[in-house]
Amino acid sequence: MNAFDLQDPRATGASALQRPFRFSLLAAIIASSLTHNAASAAETSTPAASDGQTLTVSASADNAVTTSPQTDYSVPVTRAGTKMLGTVRDVPQSVSIVSTQRMADQQLQSLNDVLSNTTGIHGISGDMDRTNYYARGFLIDNYMVDGIPTAFAERWNLGDAQTDMALYERVEVVRGATGLLTGPGNPSAAINMVRKHADSKAFGGTVSASYGSWNKQRYVADLSTPLSESGNIRGRMVAGWQDNNSFIERYGAKKQFFYGVIDADLTDSATLSVGYEFSQVNTDSTMWGGAPRWYTDGTQIHTRRGYNTAPDWAYNDKENRKVFVNLKQDFDNGWNLTLNGTHTDMRLDSKQIYLDGYFDRSTGAGVSSYANYPVVGGTGYNTGKRKVDAVDAFASGPYELLGRQHELMVGVNYTRQDNKYFSTFENISSESLGNFNDFNGQYPESDWTPRLPASDTQLVRQKSTYMATRLSLADPLHLILGARYTNWNRETPGGETEENNITPYGGLIYDFAENWSAYASYTSVFQPQDYRDASGAYLSPVIGKNYEAGLKSDWMDSRLTASVSVFRTELDNAGEATTQTIQGSGDVAYIGRKGVVSRGVEFEVNGALTDNWQMTFGGTRYIAENRDGSTFNPQLPQTSFNLFSSYRLPTLQQLTLGGGVNWQTHIWNDVGGPESNGTWRARQGSYALVDLFARYQVNKNLSLQGNLNNLFDKEYDTNVASSVVYGQPRNFAVTASYTF
């Protein structure tokens, strides 16, 4: 059995009675939130950003529009969704943007932290270092940097979610199908990380130092400086180092990163950016796959949260290097051209051990999870390399037709992604493991045989052209039409596959009041799969349709935004794990599910309630089912809420207090019993995680901040399969920041 699969290989999805889809409580919360926010916005004094109430964005350059104060949670202007410049209200899909200020308040230091606190996004952790994220019941498989997508390999997690946020200005999340932006992809969400740039013509920066639970130390410097007397050439450097242990015994991690960028104004209308990014994450005694969940009598093994199955020789190291170039050219007629190019090199090197069996409560003897495969675990020596070369170019601007002004966006994209993986493993029998009840992670390192190419080593090329237009049908009515053509080619040791697809996109936006819009959108779904069936053949691509409709509003020049949406996704060939293995290997076999439907509702309120009060509050309720009515991916919560808020005291402006809560409903997963006899159900009840923070501005340069996470020390499982992966217990961090 190859333990790199994050999902339990025996998970088949639970059959469950259909439950009525009730919105009464959620609708009440949404209505209450919107009413309260509108009232608060009316009571506050006029914000410093603008005297207006609604921000209007033209098709001009990104840097020519009004921006909100840096202390806001909202980001008014974005190219998310369609690559056409606009507000969140101009995008006919659910959009969440996590700003620099919110990341600082909540200490969201990695992409993992950001996604764990974003509306409608949920993670399944295979272990401490590997988490896959989902939205609306489906895996998120498109991660972008400055709009260039990198396909995410679920089995070979190369640390995408561990990306450090010190290098990025914000994170944009567009939920639903995003074929216009990314081409192939699940109808879950697209994650776009927007890099920091050298935008200051004066020398300045911020240095910070943190100390927290489990001896966590973190130091970050973010410095900007002009490189020419006029400031038309500027530089920025971000560097950081982090060292921490964990509530998991023997586990240790070190991270270091560096980012440098030069921005040059070639002319008054052209800007060139060139940059380099390096990050390295090394972990020791990393637990692989979690701790076994059950005894053979069906009772649960209650290991302590700090229990670790990893020996001292286990490690998991990742390294990431990126080079990028960006050219922006503005024209007098309102058009602009953007050219992005990147080369990425990500590497993985790990030696680990996993346990995956059922054990006798008295003797500690193990029984295999798999029929006719008598093992209770294994060791693995795995290395991998992912190289991505990509170029993306697009132009956008206004045009006139039938006496009205419209906007057009056209672009081309080429991506070459070369994934090479090598591995060797050794099975662990019950006899070689001994009494599990006495196991403390001490197991001899294997005498490794030569590593061989893994079956899913592959080279994927994508060539795309895309286009979208925003038609002004009337002053309050806009129609967005677009499409993306993709030529997709995959070469594997077993052969070559080529697919051609056209992904249409359509959206209608009606501004029925000064601060309110209604919208509806449609796009198709196309996603080639890396999953294979029991014969070893790749599953056919996922195909489907995605519908969404909703209301959006904004106030105070989009410093405060709100949205509520309903959605429905229909898929065929959606891959789901079985209890079988692929012939000739220990890899999990999948089947393509037909008639998978996900439907639900989402809402979010985000931004400035007053000049002193920032808040983000979002929630989702969805149901994802197979054609037979059984739940699709039941280990994901179908109802959840995320709230975080900060308040600067009017009578003591130096002090900011805040906190939040993340709540989710119960989840479960049916997995095969001992030797695949029957199914056993893993469960995790509903739970809430409460966080607090406080910051004191000592003077104009120095601030002190404290964060307390999981205030009530809730114990919860982030895997919900045959293994248990505990979430972090109560923990704290204190941070000193000096800005100059």
Side-chain angles (χ1 to χ4, degrees):
M1 173 64 193
N2 193 321
F4 247 107
D5 286 298
L6 281 177
Q7 289 185 326
D8 188 89
R10 298 156 298 148
T12 58
S15 297
L17 295 176
Q18 287 185 291
R19 291 182 290 275
F21 199 32
R22 297 187 176 96
F23 297 105
S24 55
L25 176 60
L26 186 56
I29 293 173
I30 295 169
S32 174
S33 299
L34 296 182
T35 302
H36 174 74
N37 291 332
S40 299
E43 290 172 4
T44 187
S45 58
T46 304
S50 172
D51 291 334
Q53 290 294 304
T54 301
L55 181 66
T56 301
V57 180
S58 68
S60 58
D62 300 52
N63 59 3
V65 297
T66 302
T67 57
S68 63
Q70 293 182 352
T71 55
D72 277 3
Y73 283 4
S74 64
V75 178
V77 179
T78 179
R79 289 189 182 272
T82 64
K83 284 197 173 182
M84 291 183 286
L85 200 64
T87 66
V88 170
R89 188 171 151 189
D90 295 323
V91 183
Q93 286 183 264
S94 298
V95 177
S96 295
I97 301 180
V98 181
S99 69
T100 299
Q101 187 61 56
R102 186 181 162 205
M103 288 190 284
D105 288 354
Q106 209 167 348
Q107 289 290 284
L108 307 179
Q109 296 172 348
S110 68
L111 183 60
N112 186 86
D113 297 334
V114 170
L115 297 182
S116 296
N117 291 277
T118 300
T119 300
I121 307 297
H122 304 286
I124 297 178
S125 298
D127 46 46
M128 294 183 65
D129 291 345
R130 300 179 302 156
T131 301
N132 286 338
Y133 286 92
Y134 296 74
R136 300 181 177 182
F138 307 110
L139 175 72
I140 298 174
D141 50 6
N142 272 312
Y143 291 82
M144 301 185 291
V145 177
D146 288 343
I148 294 182
T150 295
F152 175 78
E154 179 182 6
R155 177 182 173 193
W156 299 94
N157 188 321
L158 296 182
D160 300 80
Q162 293 176 309
T163 301
D164 201 283
M165 289 295 98
L167 314 181
Y168 296 93
E169 199 72 45
R170 64 183 183 271
V171 178
E172 303 171 334
V173 178
V174 180
R175 287 182 292 277
T178 58
L180 182 64
L181 288 177
T182 61
N186 286 324
S188 49
I191 312 298
N192 184 38
M193 294 171 281
V194 180
R195 288 187 175 100
K196 291 179 175 178
H197 279 275
D199 48 14
S200 175
K201 293 187 178 182
F203 176 73
T206 300
V207 292
S208 65
S210 302
Y211 180 81
S213 297
W214 311 300
N215 297 317
K216 178 180 178 180
Q217 300 179 62
R218 178 180 170 90
Y219 307 95
V220 179
D222 183 347
L223 307 176
S224 296
T225 185
L227 299 178
S228 65
E229 186 175 349
S230 65
N232 66 322
I233 302 176
R234 304 166 299 279
R236 187 169 188 172
M237 181 271 292
V238 182
W241 182 84
Q242 180 175 310
D243 186 5
N244 60 273
N245 295 323
S246 169
F247 69 98
I248 300 292
E249 58 196 7
R250 299 190 304 279
Y251 177 93
K254 290 184 179 181
K255 174 166 64 172
Q256 53 186 332
F257 52 87
F258 173 84
Y259 169 72
V261 61
I262 295 176
D263 287 272
D265 300 329
L266 303 181
T267 67
D268 290 341
S269 59
T271 303
L272 176 68
S273 301
V274 179
Y276 172 76
E277 176 184 327
F278 168 83
S279 63
Q280 187 179 73
V281 181
N282 296 335
T283 61
D284 295 322
S285 295
T286 307
M287 185 160 60
W288 198 19
R293 180 179 297 272
W294 284 299
Y295 290 114
T296 52
D297 62 4
T299 57
Q300 186 160 330
I301 302 173
H302 292 288
T303 54
R304 63 188 183 281
R305 279 188 281 185
Y307 178 71
N308 192 354
T309 61
D312 294 336
W313 52 261
Y315 67 89
N316 186 7
D317 297 343
K318 305 181 184 76
E319 187 175 284
N320 185 348
R321 300 173 187 265
K322 297 179 182 178
V323 179
F324 68 91
V325 61
N326 174 271
L327 176 64
K328 293 182 179 180
Q329 172 69 60
D330 299 326
F331 300 96
D332 293 338
N333 60 0
W335 276 73
N336 53 78
L337 172 69
T338 301
L339 173 65
N340 286 319
T342 185
H343 170 78
T344 301
D345 189 335
M346 302 184 74
R347 298 170 184 263
L348 165 72
D349 180 15
S350 71
K351 292 180 179 178
Q352 294 178 277
I353 182 175
Y354 73 97
L355 299 183
D356 184 20
Y358 300 85
F359 298 91
D360 186 273
R361 176 184 289 271
S362 300
T363 67
V367 177
S368 175
S369 305
Y370 313 102
N372 304 316
Y373 197 65
V375 299
V376 295
T379 61
Y381 179 15
N382 296 280
T383 58
K385 180 189 294 187
R386 179 174 75 192
K387 286 188 176 182
V388 180
D389 294 288
V391 177
D392 183 83
F394 68 93
S396 64
Y399 68 97
E400 289 191 5
L401 179 67
L402 300 177
R404 302 191 66 84
Q405 183 167 289
H406 316 279
E407 186 176 355
L408 178 67
M409 183 276 300
V410 293
V412 295
N413 177 276
Y414 173 77
T415 302
R416 182 184 188 274
Q417 182 164 321
D418 190 4
N419 303 330
K420 288 185 170 65
Y421 308 120
F422 299 87
S423 65
T424 183
F425 68 95
E426 181 177 275
N427 290 327
I428 297 177
S429 66
S430 178
E431 292 75 19
S432 60
L433 181 69
N435 186 343
F436 169 75
N437 297 328
D438 297 331
F439 184 72
N440 60 1
Q442 300 310 308
Y443 191 86
E445 183 175 355
S446 298
D447 185 11
W448 304 109
T449 58
R451 289 170 291 119
L452 299 175
S455 58
D456 50 1
T457 289
Q458 56 183 273
L459 173 63
V460 177
R461 298 184 183 90
Q462 293 187 55
K463 302 174 185 177
S464 301
T465 59
Y466 51 89
M467 179 182 70
T469 183
R470 182 188 288 122
L471 299 171
S472 177
L473 304 181
D475 287 344
L477 185 63
H478 294 81
L479 175 65
I480 299 177
L481 295 175
R484 186 182 185 109
Y485 166 77
T486 302
N487 172 260
W488 183 90
N489 179 278
R490 174 175 58 196
E491 296 180 17
T492 69
E496 183 176 357
T497 304
E498 184 168 336
E499 303 281 353
N500 293 284
N501 179 261
I502 295 178
T503 304
Y505 182 93
L508 190 65
I509 303 171
Y510 177 57
D511 299 323
F512 61 87
E514 181 182 0
N515 300 104
W516 291 88
S517 300
Y519 74 89
S521 64
Y522 163 85
T523 189
S524 65
V525 179
F526 167 73
Q527 170 64 336
Q529 303 190 73
D530 291 334
Y531 300 139
R532 295 183 294 157
D533 62 22
S535 69
Y538 284 98
L539 299 184
S540 299
V542 177
I543 56 174
K545 303 173 183 178
N546 189 89
Y547 308 90
E548 185 171 325
L551 299 174
K552 290 190 177 184
S553 60
D554 57 10
W555 296 273
M556 300 183 295
D557 282 356
S558 293
R559 291 186 64 197
L560 177 65
T561 63
S563 65
V564 58
S565 65
V566 293
F567 60 86
R568 180 182 176 89
T569 302
E570 302 170 355
L571 294 184
D572 282 329
N573 303 326
E576 191 170 59
T578 71
T579 58
Q580 297 177 292
T581 57
I582 298 171
Q583 294 177 6
S585 78
D587 295 343
V588 181
Y590 284 74
I591 59 172
R593 288 283 194 179
K594 293 185 177 181
V596 174
V597 174
S598 174
R599 63 191 189 277
V601 60
E602 293 174 337
F603 78 92
E604 184 175 84
V605 180
N606 184 54
L609 299 173
T610 71
D611 282 348
N612 293 322
W613 188 5
Q614 300 287 329
M615 185 186 75
T616 181
F617 178 35
T620 184
R621 165 64 175 166
Y622 78 92
I623 292 176
E625 295 177 323
N626 297 304
R627 177 175 291 177
D628 61 5
S630 60
T631 300
F632 184 81
N633 280 341
Q635 67 272 42
L636 298 171
Q638 295 185 344
T639 306
S640 63
F641 298 99
N642 303 82
L643 169 68
F644 194 83
S645 183
S646 68
Y647 186 70
R648 186 177 59 189
L649 275 64
T651 56
L652 184 60
Q653 291 278 300
Q654 298 93 334
L655 182 61
T656 301
L657 301 175
V661 58
N662 293 342
W663 177 88
Q664 68 173 54
T665 189
H666 70 283
I667 51 180
W668 75 95
N669 193 9
D670 284 351
V671 298
E675 297 181 330
S676 292
N677 292 322
T679 58
W680 290 11
R681 175 164 291 188
R683 294 180 174 88
Q684 169 61 57
S686 61
Y687 63 89
L689 302 178
V690 178
D691 302 332
L692 299 175
F693 96 99
R695 180 174 56 249
Y696 186 77
Q697 195 71 35
V698 180
N699 54 45
K700 67 177 183 179
N701 302 109
L702 177 64
S703 68
L704 301 176
Q705 179 171 322
N707 289 75
L708 182 61
N709 302 316
N710 195 0
L711 173 66
F712 299 109
D713 200 25
K714 177 65 179 179
E715 183 176 303
Y716 60 101
D717 177 18
T718 62
N719 188 4
V720 192
S722 60
S723 298
V724 177
V725 179
Y726 289 110
Q728 286 192 343
R730 181 171 49 235
N731 62 93
F732 77 93
V734 292
T735 303
S737 298
Y738 188 83
T739 301
F740 54 94

mmCIF file of all heavy atoms in Angstrom, residues 12 54 151 178 282 290 359 430 496 503 548 551 557 572 588 602:
data_model
loop_
_atom_site.group_PDB
_atom_site.id
_atom_site.type_symbol
_atom_site.label_atom_id
_atom_site.label_comp_id
_atom_site.label_asym_id
_atom_site.label_seq_id
_atom_site.Cartn_x
_atom_site.Cartn_y
_atom_site.Cartn_z
ATOM 1 N N THR A 12 -15.532 4.874 0.825
ATOM 2 C CA THR A 12 -16.440 4.737 -0.311
ATOM 3 C C THR A 12 -17.559 5.745 -0.273
ATOM 4 O O THR A 12 -18.332 5.851 -1.203
ATOM 5 C CB THR A 12 -17.065 3.333 -0.329
ATOM 6 O OG1 THR A 12 -17.757 3.116 0.900
ATOM 7 C CG2 THR A 12 -15.980 2.277 -0.490
ATOM 8 N N THR A 54 -20.633 54.271 -3.569
ATOM 9 C CA THR A 54 -20.395 53.148 -4.459
ATOM 10 C C THR A 54 -19.179 53.433 -5.321
ATOM 11 O O THR A 54 -19.096 54.477 -5.962
ATOM 12 C CB THR A 54 -21.615 52.885 -5.364
ATOM 13 O OG1 THR A 54 -22.737 52.607 -4.543
ATOM 14 C CG2 THR A 54 -21.360 51.710 -6.286
ATOM 15 N N ALA A 151 -1.377 23.274 -11.395
ATOM 16 C CA ALA A 151 -2.233 22.143 -11.053
ATOM 17 C C ALA A 151 -1.716 21.488 -9.782
ATOM 18 O O ALA A 151 -0.512 21.304 -9.599
ATOM 19 C CB ALA A 151 -2.280 21.139 -12.201
ATOM 20 N N THR A 178 -14.297 27.699 -12.233
ATOM 21 C CA THR A 178 -13.496 28.850 -12.655
ATOM 22 C C THR A 178 -12.773 28.553 -13.965
ATOM 23 O O THR A 178 -11.611 28.916 -14.140
ATOM 24 C CB THR A 178 -12.485 29.235 -11.565
ATOM 25 O OG1 THR A 178 -11.643 28.092 -11.285
ATOM 26 C CG2 THR A 178 -13.187 29.656 -10.284
ATOM 27 N N ASN A 282 11.731 22.223 6.387
ATOM 28 C CA ASN A 282 12.296 20.936 6.788
ATOM 29 C C ASN A 282 11.652 20.497 8.093
ATOM 30 O O ASN A 282 11.649 21.255 9.071
ATOM 31 C CB ASN A 282 13.808 21.036 6.979
ATOM 32 C CG ASN A 282 14.532 21.373 5.684
ATOM 33 O OD1 ASN A 282 14.036 21.102 4.599
ATOM 34 N ND2 ASN A 282 15.709 21.977 5.795
ATOM 35 N N GLY A 290 -1.172 9.895 10.307
ATOM 36 C CA GLY A 290 -1.935 9.918 11.541
ATOM 37 C C GLY A 290 -1.774 8.669 12.382
ATOM 38 O O GLY A 290 -1.005 7.756 12.064
ATOM 39 N N PHE A 359 -5.836 -3.141 15.838
ATOM 40 C CA PHE A 359 -4.971 -3.794 16.808
ATOM 41 C C PHE A 359 -5.779 -4.350 17.971
ATOM 42 O O PHE A 359 -6.775 -3.756 18.400
ATOM 43 C CB PHE A 359 -3.918 -2.798 17.315
ATOM 44 C CG PHE A 359 -3.010 -2.310 16.221
ATOM 45 C CD1 PHE A 359 -3.316 -1.164 15.495
ATOM 46 C CD2 PHE A 359 -1.869 -3.014 15.886
ATOM 47 C CE1 PHE A 359 -2.493 -0.718 14.472
ATOM 48 C CE2 PHE A 359 -1.040 -2.583 14.869
ATOM 49 C CZ PHE A 359 -1.351 -1.432 14.158
ATOM 50 N N SER A 430 2.528 -7.398 11.176
ATOM 51 C CA SER A 430 2.201 -7.351 12.595
ATOM 52 C C SER A 430 3.342 -7.909 13.432
ATOM 53 O O SER A 430 3.645 -7.398 14.518
ATOM 54 C CB SER A 430 0.919 -8.146 12.861
ATOM 55 O OG SER A 430 0.603 -8.155 14.237
ATOM 56 N N GLU A 496 0.061 8.370 -23.659
ATOM 57 C CA GLU A 496 -0.227 9.788 -23.829
ATOM 58 C C GLU A 496 -1.723 9.996 -24.025
ATOM 59 O O GLU A 496 -2.402 9.212 -24.684
ATOM 60 C CB GLU A 496 0.539 10.332 -25.036
ATOM 61 C CG GLU A 496 0.371 11.820 -25.260
ATOM 62 C CD GLU A 496 1.234 12.320 -26.414
ATOM 63 O OE1 GLU A 496 1.993 11.514 -26.994
ATOM 64 O OE2 GLU A 496 1.140 13.522 -26.739
ATOM 65 N N THR A 503 -14.689 25.895 -22.703
ATOM 66 C CA THR A 503 -15.417 26.170 -21.466
ATOM 67 C C THR A 503 -16.147 27.501 -21.613
ATOM 68 O O THR A 503 -15.518 28.565 -21.594
ATOM 69 C CB THR A 503 -14.450 26.245 -20.273
ATOM 70 O OG1 THR A 503 -13.692 25.041 -20.200
ATOM 71 C CG2 THR A 503 -15.208 26.441 -18.975
ATOM 72 N N GLU A 548 -25.088 29.562 -10.582
ATOM 73 C CA GLU A 548 -25.043 30.343 -9.354
ATOM 74 C C GLU A 548 -25.874 31.609 -9.529
ATOM 75 O O GLU A 548 -25.906 32.205 -10.618
ATOM 76 C CB GLU A 548 -23.610 30.723 -8.996
ATOM 77 C CG GLU A 548 -23.478 31.434 -7.661
ATOM 78 C CD GLU A 548 -22.034 31.598 -7.217
ATOM 79 O OE1 GLU A 548 -21.205 30.704 -7.485
ATOM 80 O OE2 GLU A 548 -21.738 32.642 -6.594
ATOM 81 N N LEU A 551 -27.212 37.878 -4.525
ATOM 82 C CA LEU A 551 -27.274 39.314 -4.298
ATOM 83 C C LEU A 551 -25.935 39.774 -3.746
ATOM 84 O O LEU A 551 -25.295 39.072 -2.956
ATOM 85 C CB LEU A 551 -28.372 39.658 -3.295
ATOM 86 C CG LEU A 551 -29.816 39.286 -3.644
ATOM 87 C CD1 LEU A 551 -30.719 39.593 -2.454
ATOM 88 C CD2 LEU A 551 -30.282 40.040 -4.884
ATOM 89 N N ASP A 557 -17.585 53.223 -0.745
ATOM 90 C CA ASP A 557 -16.578 52.932 -1.773
ATOM 91 C C ASP A 557 -16.045 51.503 -1.653
ATOM 92 O O ASP A 557 -14.845 51.256 -1.754
ATOM 93 C CB ASP A 557 -15.418 53.922 -1.703
ATOM 94 C CG ASP A 557 -15.777 55.257 -2.345
ATOM 95 O OD1 ASP A 557 -16.886 55.365 -2.894
ATOM 96 O OD2 ASP A 557 -14.946 56.179 -2.290
ATOM 97 N N ASP A 572 -20.554 14.517 -13.799
ATOM 98 C CA ASP A 572 -20.436 13.109 -14.160
ATOM 99 C C ASP A 572 -18.966 12.723 -14.136
ATOM 100 O O ASP A 572 -18.077 13.547 -14.404
ATOM 101 C CB ASP A 572 -21.012 12.846 -15.557
ATOM 102 C CG ASP A 572 -22.534 12.778 -15.550
ATOM 103 O OD1 ASP A 572 -23.098 12.348 -14.527
ATOM 104 O OD2 ASP A 572 -23.145 13.167 -16.555
ATOM 105 N N VAL A 588 -4.628 3.056 -4.422
ATOM 106 C CA VAL A 588 -6.076 2.994 -4.289
ATOM 107 C C VAL A 588 -6.736 3.045 -5.658
ATOM 108 O O VAL A 588 -6.344 3.815 -6.533
ATOM 109 C CB VAL A 588 -6.580 4.177 -3.438
ATOM 110 C CG1 VAL A 588 -8.087 4.114 -3.278
ATOM 111 C CG2 VAL A 588 -5.887 4.182 -2.098
ATOM 112 N N GLU A 602 -24.434 30.287 0.249
ATOM 113 C CA GLU A 602 -23.291 30.887 0.929
ATOM 114 C C GLU A 602 -23.586 32.362 1.195
ATOM 115 O O GLU A 602 -24.355 32.986 0.455
ATOM 116 C CB GLU A 602 -22.023 30.793 0.076
ATOM 117 C CG GLU A 602 -21.511 29.394 -0.136
ATOM 118 C CD GLU A 602 -20.347 29.341 -1.111
ATOM 119 O OE1 GLU A 602 -20.205 30.254 -1.940
ATOM 120 O OE2 GLU A 602 -19.590 28.352 -1.055
#
